[in-house]
Amino acid sequence: MHAEHIHSGLWPLLLDSLDPNDGRFRPWGSGEVFPEQMSSPASHDSAGLLARWWAAYTAVDEDDDMLDTDRRLSVTAPFGQTWPGRAPSRETTTNPDQLASEFAQAFLADHSQVRLGLVAAASGAEALTAAGWAGPCNYDNDTAKFSTVVRDWEHRFGARVVAVGFSTLHLSVAAPPAGKREALLAAAEHFAFCPDNIWQGRRPYTLAAYADRITGARRWDFWWD
């Protein structure tokens, strides 16, 4: 189906559910998708979105914060509250679409309950908005903003949207960050895009530890609580 996209205009997505034992297959079978409520990815700027999200999630609210200022800022060290900018683009000899196909096969092996979704869209990033996916709605209910960032990653890192669940997103990455500095910058983008990856991910809950985990990683997984 991916190979036929150029003719059909339909982008294939592997659709995962909130609970594999849920007969409603949320959100897809239950109709919890809202394409009519989304704006257009073309109306947003990836760099601006990431900078604004970073500022919001690194802000310290002394009246409503479980961590003191020093501990809060240590999460995003060495950058603290300063947005470091985006990671540089990387070139790769790996075919992004072939890698996505291999990742899809691996994902299917571990998630036998997934279904195939076909979305009228130009790319996987735009398919998220066209399908009305609302996974990050606890942070922003306009999926087009997230599609804008993913579309940017498609160009800079050879990312491809492979699977999407109730509040999860899975990308293959043909040109992941390789060095420590690049990985830290990519990790900062991930934090701005999906802070729960770090706030509620694997210990230690720091940007630096997360950067180590994504260095050279050819898949990026996101989940919003």
Side-chain angles (χ1 to χ4, degrees):
M1 295 306 303
H2 184 272
E4 285 297 312
H5 171 262
I6 190 172
H7 303 296
S8 69
L10 299 175
W11 193 274
L13 296 176
L14 296 183
L15 305 180
D16 202 3
S17 62
L18 177 63
D19 182 345
N21 298 314
D22 180 8
R24 298 177 66 202
F25 202 73
R26 299 177 65 192
W28 317 107
S30 60
E32 296 170 85
V33 292
F34 312 96
E36 71 283 353
Q37 297 181 13
M38 309 303 176
S39 63
S40 167
S43 64
H44 303 284
D45 170 68
S46 176
L49 286 169
L50 290 169
R52 288 195 296 273
W53 286 336
W54 174 274
Y57 304 147
T58 58
V60 176
D61 184 349
E62 295 182 356
D63 296 324
D64 186 25
D65 203 324
M66 296 178 63
L67 301 178
D68 59 41
T69 300
D70 289 341
R71 293 176 63 195
R72 171 63 68 191
L73 296 181
S74 70
V75 172
T76 50
F79 306 125
Q81 290 178 291
T82 303
W83 169 238
R86 295 179 299 168
S89 301
R90 283 185 52 80
E91 295 184 2
T92 180
T93 57
T94 302
N95 184 304
D97 296 321
Q98 179 60 37
L99 182 66
S101 177
E102 293 171 2
F103 179 24
Q105 294 299 322
F107 193 88
L108 283 167
D110 292 333
H111 303 77
S112 58
Q113 79 283 358
V114 300
R115 300 178 185 178
L116 176 64
L118 298 175
V119 187
S123 69
E126 295 183 23
L128 298 174
T129 296
W133 176 64
C137 65
N138 285 346
Y139 289 94
D140 196 309
N141 59 10
D142 186 358
T143 299
K145 297 177 182 177
F146 298 89
S147 288
T148 298
V149 175
V150 173
R151 185 173 60 181
D152 185 27
W153 289 345
E154 288 175 339
H155 297 308
R156 284 193 291 133
F157 302 112
R160 295 292 184 269
V161 178
V162 173
V164 59
F166 187 87
S167 57
T168 57
L169 178 64
H170 308 275
L171 313 178
S172 63
V173 186
K180 183 175 181 179
R181 176 67 179 177
E182 287 184 4
L184 277 170
L185 291 172
E189 293 190 43
H190 285 206
F191 177 79
F193 182 78
C194 179
D196 287 335
N197 267 31
I198 293 171
W199 282 342
Q200 301 186 47
R202 288 163 46 191
R203 293 179 181 271
Y205 307 124
T206 65
L207 196 73
Y210 182 82
D212 288 340
R213 291 195 288 270
I214 66 169
T215 301
R218 293 193 177 272
R219 63 176 286 178
W220 290 349
D221 301 293
F222 301 94
W223 69 282
W224 290 263
D225 190 5

